[in-house]
Amino acid sequence: MAVLFVGLGVWQLARNTHKHRLVAREKAAYANPAPDVATAGPRTADGTRLAATGTFDGAHETVLRNRVRNDNVGVDVLTPLRLSDGTAVLVDRGWVRASASSGVTTDPPPGGTAVVHGIAHQTNPLSSQDTVDHLPDGRLAVPRVDLNAIGRTLPYRLRPVWIEAQAISPAPHGNAPALPQPPPPDPVNHLEYAIEWFAFAMIPLVGWPIVLRRLLRQRQRAAATSSNTASTASTAPVASRS
């Protein structure tokens, strides 16, 4: 039985390794070549992969408020990427756990030339019920990405689509916004199951010696009791028949 449990634990470890390799492969694919943003127009479909090369303008950032990840509320940081032709594309650099009311603390975007790969999205105009807030540091906090509204606050023209970044080079570090991660191939925690199977394997390996030791002690006690009884019987005085 212990051999079976160990085998199941090894199988779960192999599944865990395989899953992490798949996730790493998907994450590496985020940086695969994609059409340049210059080829994208107003009719570019949501979900189209694009690439852009330019310089981030951290002085004109906007935050997209009320974004939820893993049951935590935060904001997405939207930073213009200045392109070589003088225009810019708005880039969602990732998520930060924060709120528009408490302020947003994050590292600035990479300096120098940056390359962004990600997913294109169309503009989403603000409605009459939407409100635009201002953070204490002056950044806008919006409920949706309205490129026209955000563009009016910038000294240059925005491209007609914005990019949800999947990979940025140079790679962000420190307190930079968190980029999206590939979803796991399945929701099973294989490492946890492996630990459970190995624990089950330890039960017969550790339990049987304990049981055998107890049985041996019981037999030794029974033998000692029998020996004492026999010794008492042999030394008892014999009654006279007169």
Side-chain angles (χ1 to χ4, degrees):
M1 187 64 71
V3 174
L4 174 62
F5 289 154
V6 169
L8 289 171
V10 171
W11 174 65
Q12 288 291 345
L13 285 178
R15 290 282 297 159
N16 183 69
T17 301
H18 177 67
K19 183 166 73 172
H20 280 285
R21 285 176 179 171
L22 289 177
V23 172
R25 189 184 309 164
E26 290 292 329
K27 188 173 182 179
Y30 281 172
N32 284 347
D36 190 88
V37 68
T39 65
R43 297 179 181 235
T44 299
D46 276 5
T48 302
R49 293 195 71 248
L50 292 176
T53 302
T55 305
F56 280 114
D57 180 8
H60 291 92
E61 285 186 332
T62 300
V63 299
L64 184 60
R65 63 178 187 256
N66 299 331
R67 309 295 286 179
V68 179
R69 287 195 186 178
N70 299 323
D71 298 326
N72 295 313
V73 179
V75 300
D76 280 12
V77 180
L78 309 174
T79 309
L81 183 72
R82 299 290 304 272
L83 306 177
S84 59
D85 63 357
T87 65
V89 59
L90 196 64
V91 175
D92 184 342
R93 292 200 293 123
W95 180 87
V96 176
R97 186 173 181 176
S99 68
S101 59
S102 62
V104 178
T105 302
T106 182
D107 285 353
T113 301
V115 180
V116 175
H117 291 82
I119 303 298
H121 294 284
Q122 294 283 337
T123 185
N124 191 0
L126 296 171
S127 70
S128 58
Q129 288 78 31
D130 290 327
T131 59
V132 176
D133 302 324
H134 287 81
L135 301 183
D137 58 12
R139 283 184 286 189
L140 293 179
V142 296
R144 65 188 77 206
V145 183
D146 185 335
L147 293 177
N148 290 328
I150 296 173
R152 285 194 289 270
T153 68
L154 303 175
Y156 39 77
R157 182 173 63 86
L158 281 179
R159 289 280 175 173
V161 296
W162 59 281
I163 297 178
E164 179 185 1
Q166 294 178 315
I168 298 176
S169 179
H173 55 81
N175 193 36
L179 290 171
Q181 298 296 315
D186 60 68
V188 178
N189 190 332
H190 295 287
L191 183 59
E192 183 176 306
Y193 277 115
I195 294 173
E196 289 181 359
W197 284 122
F198 288 138
F200 289 151
M202 293 297 294
I203 293 175
L205 295 176
V206 176
W208 275 114
I210 295 175
V211 172
L212 292 175
R213 187 177 180 184
R214 288 182 178 177
L215 289 175
L216 181 59
R217 285 182 177 179
Q218 291 175 358
R219 290 183 178 180
Q220 289 175 343
R221 289 172 183 171
T225 302
S226 299
S227 177
N228 292 336
T229 302
S231 176
T232 301
S234 63
T235 56
V238 179
S240 174
R241 295 185 177 180
S242 60

